Amino acid sequence: MAMAIKLSLLLLVLSCSLIPTFSLFEDQVGFMDWHQRYIGKVKDAVFHTQKAGRKRVVVSTEENVIASLDLRRGEIFWRHVLGATDVIDKIDIALGKYVITLSSEGSILRAWNLPDGQMVWESFLSGSKSSKALLTIPANLKVDLDSPIFVYGGTCLYAISSIDGEILWKKDFINEGMDVHQLILSEGSNVIHAVGVSDSSEFNTYEIDVKNGGVLKHVRKPFPGGIYGDILSISSDKFVALDATRSTVLLISITDGQINLQQTHVSDLIHGVSLNPIILPSKLSGIFSLTTDTFIAFIKVTHEGKLNVMEKVDKTVVVSDALALSEGEQAFALVQHGDSKIHLSVRLVHDMSSNHLKETVKMDHERGFVHKIFINNYVRTDRSHGFRALIVMEDHSLLLLQQGEIVWSRDDGLASVIDVTTSELPLEKVGVSVAKVEDSLFEWLKGHMLKLKGTLMLATPDEIAIIQKIKLQSSEKSKMTRDHNGFRRLLIVLTKSRKLFALHSGDGHIVWSTLLQSLRQSTECPNPTALKLHPWQIPHHHALDKNPSVLVVGRCGLSLSSPSTLSIVDAYTGKEARNAGPGHSTVQVIPLPFSDSSEQQLHLLIDDGNRAHLYPRSREAVEIFQRESQNVYWYDVEAEVGILRGYGVKRRCDGDEYCFEARNLWSVVFPSESEKIISTVSRKGNEVVHTQAKVIAEEDVMYKYISKNILFVATVSPKASGPIGSATPDESLLVVHLVDTITGRILHRMSHLGSQGPVHAVLSENWVVYHYFNLRAHRYEMSVIEIYDQSRAENKDVLKLIVGKHNLTTPVSSYSRPEVSTKSQSYFFTHSVKAISVTSTAKGITSKHLLIGTIADQVLALDKRFVDPRRSLNPTQAEKEEGLLPLTDTLPIIPQSYVTHAFKVEGLRGIETIPAKLESTTLVFAYGVDLFFTRLAPSRTYDSLTEDFNYALLLLTIVALVVAIFVTWVLSERKDLQEKWR
């Protein structure tokens, strides 16, 4: 029998060694995670369709992205994200092979290779002060020194070499006190005209030699009272502008070197009272557009200088820039939105009475209105002109229209996510099969034969690719029902476009999207802004008959005192269940840990007068809140003046039973001459702590100080509040505080001499980790503080626990002065950081990992043990058994610890973690210009088998073991029988 056991173990080892091992990238990337690339809302576009090769459009966006898109499918050929401060001003294409971009208020000029996006050269332009940025590329540009690119920025005019970006000459207008509005360069001319307005309300025009920057002629003319906005060029010698009162249109003509001004009252021009007239920046030859509160007027400027209104259209109409068709002929497009349709018409500038092209396209009403349009022409087979239109919608989506159809669309509103929450998927209905029905018996057999060949390692590379495709198609990760592990969820994201998206966590596809009606621009809500997103109703007892819902809070204006709007949105369908129009202001939203009988969570909305408004507005909610109002506290951070304030509920407001006055409980004032608040962080409200006790070396116990009311506050000296390097180490001081928000008591305070921000921090359980810059060491640092409850230090005697002589049963109150102790440690960290988060699990048992968004737009997972403050140079044997690592001055960066693998989440802004039902697993969602989602197991999947577990090989192993046991049993019985016959 012993021989049978040995043979069985040998077979088991041999069978396990046959299990193929795959790297994370080949076997799990794409199954457990997904990555989506976006560009943001397009603000400028240039088409490149001259050659017969790849037709593309180069765009710049509000997310500071430059991208080249395929005109056939809308895919990204290449893309560059310039950064939050490097705002793109102008883009253009030069020589048919270079993309020229001007950014940072005209201070950075770059040339990119059009086919692959590689940077050719970069030029830094230092101006005297900020000003409008202008870019002019000659039509006959050549790659030589005689054909430069002209740039205006920082009150300076530059001629830039198209070869290497070298500055050929510079003309500074700071002494003239002039701001240039237009640069005009006629084809083949050696003179560039700079047109602008001086500080003394004078119209100026300069003729400048393109070879050396010398001023050939300067003509000026005083303006009566100045102008409003910019001067618009309608030809090389005619310009229009509005006066400072916006009541008169000024026509500026240059004839024989003389400037002539002609004034026309707006009321005489459009015959009626019109409010807020603005000249649109559409570049049409001989025509300009004047918009009012009700309509847009197209006004033609005759050769004699007369202004004739050619047509009036509704204000909702969007006008494109002019497109040159042939010499002297231009076309432009008009787009008007109808009921779930948009009407596109293309007109010729010299014949506006008739439509050169007119199309009607069906449009999803959830995309909102058209915001911008860019047109391009192509030659049909009959040699006539066809047109394609690139349209930017209200929800920041991008569409290409051609021949009355939508060729492709991109949901680029997802590049501007501002808040995230999650929702459970619907329960699976009884009787619905989980397995996917195969198309045919032949396909079923074929698929299983391929899987068997893959298991036996007999599949070819092509068959392995087919097996991977079958796995993706048969995977249940994109089903619209819940799974028992909690991996399938809805990621509900709120975007800057005021649109709500629900993404499936399985593969990232859009389940539904809703353009919130309560945040549409209107007279009641002129400047709507989305603010926060919170779970509103999470049905557990009513999961079969009620859908979960979310609360969206917005604001009608830019100031904190602006009225706010509320929307309740169904998490399964995306429909707005109800909304409330502009009402009281909202400065802070506080989810309360109470729910009513319909499982709606109670919320407090704090206005700018520190009044608390209770939602939902129901009698039951008021009764629940009044019972618990003595235990409701909140705080406010006034970073500008350096004050923290704590509040409680005082009484009801007069005339509103759902409004409550606040009473000021405490305040902490940081002296403005020594400290300035730059960062505050609190714990997640839904974080679960498994145990308060922490067993350390030699079986000792420390008790964590667990409180949801701890606030981390970081302050710096005023001189160190600027960017890194703005202050010397002696002038810099970083101070961190742990504040109890119920009493205002400062539990711990630590100073870092010679350090400054930016500070990124995460607070979890009883510890906080924060990242900052050490000016003395010229390196980034990461520090950790752990806080422990000393009042429970004596509760380690089991006998006291049995007889009840301990204080564990005494009530815990924030008003009792806590006896706390802290441990801290600092480490060097080699990367700058954009965001920090921490993994969260359902029960809080699994070890923690820090999720660090690096400057390279990747997410790094760092084990919390690396930032343990108890690490020492020579840990004892007991400390080693506990898991303490030897102390090092630098935190390690392990390449295999990058959660995002080889992907980059461009423009990374935030990292959200969601606990799954499986304790070992947390869901990670990182967002910026891109989106990335994955599953992470900090302590490995100790409570489940992995998805790639080879069940077929396990079955073969079990069968082999049973056969081996049976064979060895027969041999053993035969041997025993032979020995007995002896």
Side-chain angles (χ1 to χ4, degrees):
M1 198 64 182
M3 183 185 296
I5 295 174
K6 291 181 180 179
L7 183 58
S8 302
L9 290 174
L10 179 63
L11 287 173
L12 178 62
V13 171
L14 290 175
S15 63
C16 291
S17 65
L18 295 176
I19 299 177
T21 58
F22 300 95
S23 68
L24 178 65
F25 183 80
E26 292 178 348
D27 192 53
Q28 290 181 334
V29 174
F31 292 95
M32 298 172 60
D33 53 49
W34 46 264
H35 178 238
Q36 297 177 352
R37 304 170 68 206
Y38 297 99
I39 58 175
K41 183 181 181 181
V42 172
K43 63 181 183 180
D44 201 0
V46 182
F47 291 88
H48 182 259
T49 58
Q50 288 81 5
K51 296 184 179 180
R54 290 182 170 181
K55 300 184 183 301
R56 65 184 73 210
V57 57
V58 180
V59 299
S60 65
T61 73
E62 292 183 355
E63 300 297 325
N64 300 331
V65 176
I66 305 165
S68 175
L69 304 180
D70 184 3
L71 270 181
R72 291 185 176 89
R73 294 179 296 274
E75 298 173 350
I76 300 174
F77 282 140
W78 55 262
R79 178 189 63 166
H80 294 289
V81 182
L82 299 187
T85 58
D86 196 2
V87 179
I88 303 170
D89 302 310
K90 302 288 182 181
I91 63 169
D92 208 339
I93 294 178
L95 304 171
K97 61 178 180 179
Y98 296 132
V99 177
I100 308 297
T101 63
L102 184 64
S103 61
S104 295
E105 296 183 342
S107 62
I108 303 178
L109 186 70
R110 299 181 178 95
W112 314 82
N113 194 28
L114 181 59
D116 57 11
Q118 295 296 319
M119 185 187 294
V120 180
W121 49 259
E122 183 178 36
S123 182
F124 294 93
L125 313 175
S126 58
S128 304
K129 63 177 184 178
S130 60
S131 65
K132 183 179 180 180
L134 301 173
L135 173 65
T136 299
I137 298 178
N140 57 347
L141 180 66
K142 300 178 182 179
V143 186
D144 56 35
L145 294 176
D146 296 330
S147 186
I149 297 170
F150 298 97
V151 173
Y152 175 76
T155 71
C156 297
L157 176 63
Y158 302 88
I160 310 297
S161 169
S162 57
I163 299 176
D164 54 9
E166 182 184 353
I167 300 175
L168 302 179
W169 54 260
K170 170 183 174 182
K171 167 62 179 173
D172 196 344
F173 291 96
I174 188 67
N175 294 327
E176 289 81 357
M178 173 178 144
D179 189 14
V180 176
H181 287 214
Q182 296 289 338
L183 292 177
I184 301 172
L185 179 66
S186 301
E187 186 173 355
S189 174
N190 292 324
V191 177
I192 184 171
H193 296 264
V195 179
V197 179
S198 65
D199 296 337
S200 57
S201 298
E202 286 184 331
F203 178 81
N204 291 259
T205 175
Y206 284 83
E207 293 184 10
I208 300 174
D209 193 333
V210 300
K211 301 294 184 182
N212 53 28
V215 178
L216 302 177
K217 182 184 291 187
H218 173 213
V219 183
R220 58 187 179 183
K221 181 85 171 182
F223 264 9
I227 67 167
Y228 173 84
D230 292 332
I231 296 174
L232 180 67
S233 170
I234 57 174
S235 66
S236 59
D237 58 353
K238 289 186 175 62
F239 308 88
V240 292
L242 283 173
D243 70 341
T245 62
R246 300 167 67 179
S247 62
T248 303
V249 176
L250 302 173
L251 176 62
I252 307 159
S253 304
I254 303 176
T255 307
D256 299 330
Q258 300 295 322
I259 300 176
N260 299 315
L261 292 179
Q262 179 180 333
Q263 302 183 32
T264 305
H265 288 285
V266 175
S267 58
D268 296 336
L269 190 62
I270 58 180
H271 303 293
V273 178
S274 60
L275 300 176
N276 304 320
I278 297 175
I279 294 179
L280 296 179
S282 55
K283 300 175 182 178
L284 305 176
S285 178
I287 300 174
F288 69 95
S289 307
L290 186 71
T291 179
T292 67
D293 286 347
T294 55
F295 58 83
I296 298 175
F298 292 96
I299 302 171
K300 184 177 180 60
V301 181
T302 64
H303 294 290
E304 295 79 14
K306 295 182 179 180
L307 304 182
N308 296 328
V309 178
M310 303 182 66
E311 186 180 1
K312 293 180 182 179
V313 297
D314 190 81
K315 188 186 177 181
T316 58
V317 173
V318 180
V319 185
S320 73
D321 283 342
L323 173 67
L325 299 180
S326 59
E327 186 175 355
E329 185 62 76
Q330 291 180 328
F332 68 99
L334 300 175
V335 177
Q336 188 169 12
H337 208 104
D339 295 334
S340 70
K341 294 180 181 179
I342 60 171
H343 306 283
L344 170 66
S345 61
V346 177
R347 302 183 183 183
L348 301 179
V349 172
H350 297 296
D351 185 16
M352 291 190 60
S353 59
S354 61
N355 292 318
H356 189 71
L357 174 71
K358 192 170 184 179
E359 296 175 345
T360 300
V361 183
K362 291 184 179 180
M363 184 65 61
D364 182 6
H365 69 279
E366 293 296 345
R367 295 191 183 275
F369 296 111
V370 178
H371 273 197
K372 290 185 180 180
I373 177 173
F374 308 92
I375 62 170
N376 176 245
N377 69 306
Y378 61 93
V379 180
R380 298 192 182 103
T381 55
D382 60 355
R383 311 305 298 174
S384 63
H385 284 290
F387 294 90
R388 57 174 70 94
L390 191 70
I391 291 183
V392 183
M393 303 299 293
E394 184 180 352
D395 66 342
H396 298 185
S397 59
L398 186 66
L399 302 90
L400 183 71
L401 307 184
Q402 189 171 335
Q403 297 180 355
E405 295 182 355
I406 299 176
V407 180
W408 51 260
S409 63
R410 295 178 51 89
D411 288 301
D412 282 301
L414 286 168
S416 57
V417 174
I418 59 177
D419 204 3
V420 183
T421 189
T422 61
S423 173
E424 292 276 7
L425 284 165
L427 291 169
E428 190 168 6
K429 295 182 180 179
V430 179
V432 178
S433 176
V434 176
K436 185 177 181 180
V437 179
E438 302 288 347
D439 296 333
S440 64
L441 179 62
F442 175 75
E443 292 294 331
W444 184 85
L445 291 173
K446 181 181 176 181
H448 281 74
M449 287 298 296
L450 283 173
K451 292 177 183 178
L452 181 60
K453 290 180 71 175
T455 300
L456 299 176
M457 294 185 294
L458 300 176
T460 64
D462 292 338
E463 289 175 336
I464 291 175
I466 296 174
I467 293 171
Q468 295 283 67
K469 185 177 180 181
I470 292 174
K471 284 184 179 180
L472 286 173
Q473 291 176 348
S474 61
S475 175
E476 297 182 359
K477 66 179 184 178
S478 59
K479 286 185 61 178
M480 283 301 298
T481 54
R482 299 182 192 180
D483 61 316
H484 64 280
N485 287 329
F487 296 159
R488 292 198 298 262
R489 289 175 181 262
L490 284 180
L491 301 171
I492 302 177
V493 298
L494 180 63
T495 65
K496 195 184 297 183
S497 63
R498 307 179 303 280
K499 191 172 186 178
L500 208 59
F501 290 86
L503 308 178
H504 197 292
S505 64
D507 54 6
H509 74 271
I510 299 175
V511 178
W512 53 259
S513 60
T514 299
L515 192 63
L516 298 170
Q517 296 300 318
S518 60
L519 286 175
R520 301 292 296 276
Q521 190 163 2
S522 62
T523 54
E524 294 83 9
C525 194
N527 295 302
T529 305
L531 291 180
K532 293 294 292 182
L533 181 63
H534 291 274
W536 175 260
Q537 187 176 23
I538 307 175
H540 298 291
H541 304 292
H542 304 278
L544 293 176
D545 56 346
K546 287 186 179 180
N547 294 349
S549 55
V550 295
L551 169 68
V552 183
V553 182
R555 181 183 293 152
C556 294
L558 303 177
S559 66
L560 294 177
S561 59
S562 301
S564 60
T565 64
L566 306 178
S567 296
I568 310 298
V569 181
D570 191 305
Y572 289 168
T573 64
K575 295 181 180 178
E576 282 190 80
R578 58 186 182 275
N579 57 62
H584 58 80
S585 61
T586 299
V587 177
Q588 190 177 1
V589 180
I590 303 175
L592 300 176
F594 318 123
S595 299
D596 60 13
S597 59
S598 62
E599 297 182 279
Q600 294 182 114
Q601 188 174 2
L602 272 62
H603 290 73
L604 280 184
L605 273 62
I606 313 301
D607 63 15
D608 59 334
N610 289 323
R611 291 181 296 270
H613 300 264
L614 178 64
Y615 290 88
R617 299 172 73 87
S618 64
R619 176 64 59 184
E620 182 185 4
V622 171
E623 293 175 355
I624 296 173
F625 180 74
Q626 285 182 333
R627 288 198 303 266
E628 304 290 344
S629 61
Q630 297 300 316
N631 296 319
V632 175
Y633 303 89
W634 69 92
Y635 65 91
D636 181 33
V637 180
E638 301 177 18
E640 296 80 7
V641 294
I643 300 178
L644 304 180
R645 301 183 191 275
Y647 300 95
V649 178
K650 186 177 182 181
R651 61 174 183 272
R652 284 187 180 182
C653 304
D654 296 334
D656 188 352
E657 62 177 330
Y658 305 109
C659 173
F660 298 86
E661 297 282 353
R663 55 191 177 103
N664 198 338
L665 299 177
W666 57 265
S667 62
V668 177
V669 180
F670 298 97
S672 58
E673 63 275 6
S674 60
E675 294 184 75
K676 181 178 180 181
I677 299 175
I678 60 171
S679 178
T680 58
V681 175
S682 60
R683 273 184 59 189
K684 276 189 173 182
N686 59 351
E687 184 184 26
V688 177
V689 180
H690 175 61
T691 178
Q692 186 184 7
K694 180 178 181 179
V695 180
I696 60 176
E698 299 177 356
E699 299 183 355
D700 198 3
V701 177
M702 298 180 68
Y703 291 97
K704 305 172 186 177
Y705 183 78
I706 303 297
S707 174
K708 293 186 177 181
N709 305 313
I710 294 180
L711 177 67
F712 169 84
V713 181
T715 64
V716 294
S717 55
K719 290 185 178 181
S721 60
I724 295 175
S726 59
T728 64
D730 294 332
E731 297 172 335
S732 302
L733 175 65
L734 171 66
V735 184
V736 298
H737 312 75
L738 295 180
V739 182
D740 189 302
T741 59
I742 302 298
T743 62
R745 184 179 294 116
I746 297 179
L747 302 175
H748 182 67
R749 185 177 186 270
M750 178 181 290
S751 301
H752 298 273
L753 297 174
S755 299
Q756 70 174 122
V759 174
H760 298 277
V762 60
L763 182 59
S764 175
E765 293 190 353
N766 68 318
W767 53 264
V768 59
V769 173
Y770 53 99
H771 178 275
Y772 55 94
F773 189 78
N774 188 326
L775 289 170
R776 297 186 185 275
H778 302 286
R779 299 176 70 177
Y780 287 101
E781 283 188 2
M782 193 173 286
S783 295
V784 58
I785 300 174
E786 290 187 356
I787 183 168
Y788 293 94
D789 190 350
Q790 289 296 103
S791 63
R792 300 172 184 261
E794 302 298 326
N795 301 320
K796 303 173 185 178
D797 194 337
V798 178
L799 181 60
K800 286 185 178 182
L801 183 64
I802 295 175
V803 299
K805 295 182 179 180
H806 58 87
N807 64 350
L808 288 179
T809 58
T810 59
V812 177
S813 172
S814 292
Y815 284 100
S816 61
R817 182 174 294 274
E819 299 178 26
V820 297
S821 65
T822 59
K823 295 182 179 296
S824 61
Q825 187 63 270
S826 297
Y827 304 90
F828 289 123
F829 191 69
T830 56
H831 282 317
S832 177
V833 167
K834 288 188 171 182
I836 299 182
S837 185
V838 64
T839 56
S840 57
T841 54
K843 304 297 182 183
I845 302 173
T846 306
S847 60
K848 301 282 187 178
H849 272 44
L850 296 174
L851 300 177
I852 303 172
T854 66
I855 193 65
D857 290 323
Q858 290 186 298
V859 179
L860 174 71
L862 181 68
D863 196 324
K864 170 61 175 60
R865 294 186 303 162
F866 285 110
V867 288
D868 194 318
R870 296 175 52 244
R871 289 176 63 184
S872 59
L873 288 174
N874 298 305
T876 63
Q877 184 62 33
E879 289 176 337
K880 290 180 180 179
E881 293 176 357
E882 180 192 343
L884 281 181
L885 303 174
L887 179 63
T888 57
D889 62 345
T890 304
L891 294 175
I893 295 180
I894 305 171
Q896 293 82 0
S897 297
Y898 280 102
V899 176
T900 47
H901 317 305
F903 297 122
K904 292 180 67 176
V905 186
E906 294 282 4
L908 179 66
R909 291 190 300 273
I911 304 171
E912 290 290 332
T913 58
I914 307 105
K917 292 180 181 178
L918 199 64
E919 169 57 28
S920 65
T921 307
T922 182
L923 310 179
V924 180
F925 179 62
Y927 58 90
V929 176
D930 296 346
L931 304 180
F932 179 82
F933 178 86
T934 190
R935 298 203 305 264
L936 192 64
S939 300
R940 300 184 181 274
T941 51
Y942 58 83
D943 51 358
S944 66
L945 296 175
T946 59
E947 286 188 353
D948 58 346
F949 186 83
N950 202 327
Y951 292 96
L953 191 57
L954 176 63
L955 181 61
L956 290 175
T957 303
I958 294 173
V959 172
L961 288 174
V962 171
V963 172
I965 291 172
F966 179 75
V967 170
T968 53
W969 177 76
V970 171
L971 293 175
S972 178
E973 289 293 324
R974 185 178 298 177
K975 183 179 179 181
D976 290 343
L977 183 60
Q978 290 175 355
E979 290 180 351
K980 289 180 180 179
W981 278 104
R982 291 179 184 176

